[in-house]
Amino acid sequence: AGDAAVGKSKAAVCASCHGADGMALMPAYPNLAGQNEEYLVSALQAYRSKERQGGNAALMHAMAANLSDDDIANLAAYYASLK
Amino acid sequence: AGDAAVGKSKAAVCASCHGADGMALMPAYPNLAGQNEEYLVSALQAYRSKERQGGNAALMHAMAANLSDDDIANLAAYYASLK
């Protein structure tokens, strides 16, 4: 599993859409707080690989493009840890 | 917006993975309870159109294949209404 504390430091840019508390600032974006860590990892990987298309996927392609596997694990751990 | 009550009746099959209360039974699947309605609509549409690939997307392609726009709106309203 990832490191939530490291994930938190990585999540600053995510907060602009997904909220500082993991509750999305726009209804078109998902809340991430308390989401399942394993699901978040697979979703971020699918955005990074661009397998996930449709909706606002293109925006997330840009966000996920430069994330390492560790970044993805840590971000997933961080958002899963938020209630 | 969709009709959460109608969505609830439609969600019986979804509950087998996403839980009767919208909390997924498996860590690889997302919790849906309290998720943003507009996001859920776009995700279901992306599964129905198969634009969303990667992870467990193939399973959701089968689930979403026969959903109408009303079904999608009602299911999204239902899961968004769960806390």
Side-chain angles (χ1 to χ4, degrees):
Chain A
D3 180 325
V6 176
K8 181 171 185 172
S9 62
K10 191 75 193 172
V13 63
C14 315
S16 52
C17 294
H18 292 291
D21 57 355
M23 300 304 279
L25 303 182
M26 304 252 297
Y29 303 149
N31 299 320
L32 301 180
Q35 185 53 274
N36 285 326
E37 189 167 342
E38 194 176 318
Y39 171 73
L40 288 172
V41 167
S42 77
L44 280 170
Q45 289 173 340
Y47 283 125
R48 183 176 61 184
S49 67
K50 296 197 172 74
E51 287 173 287
R52 190 176 262 210
Q53 304 271 342
N56 290 301
L59 181 59
M60 276 305 293
H61 295 162
M63 291 297 151
N66 303 317
L67 294 178
S68 68
D69 288 345
D70 283 348
D71 292 333
I72 284 178
N74 297 332
L75 284 165
Y78 169 62
Y79 280 107
S81 73
L82 299 179
K83 284 297 166 248
Chain B
D3 179 325
V6 176
K8 181 170 186 174
S9 64
K10 191 74 191 171
V13 64
C14 315
S16 53
C17 293
H18 293 292
D21 57 354
M23 301 304 281
L25 303 181
M26 302 251 298
Y29 303 151
N31 299 319
L32 301 181
Q35 185 53 273
N36 284 326
E37 188 167 344
E38 193 177 318
Y39 170 73
L40 289 171
V41 167
S42 78
L44 280 170
Q45 287 173 340
Y47 282 126
R48 183 176 62 183
S49 68
K50 297 194 169 74
E51 288 171 287
R52 187 176 264 208
Q53 305 271 342
N56 291 301
L59 181 59
M60 276 304 292
H61 296 161
M63 292 296 152
N66 302 317
L67 294 179
S68 68
D69 289 343
D70 283 349
D71 292 334
I72 285 178
N74 297 333
L75 283 165
Y78 169 62
Y79 280 108
S81 71
L82 298 178
K83 285 297 166 247

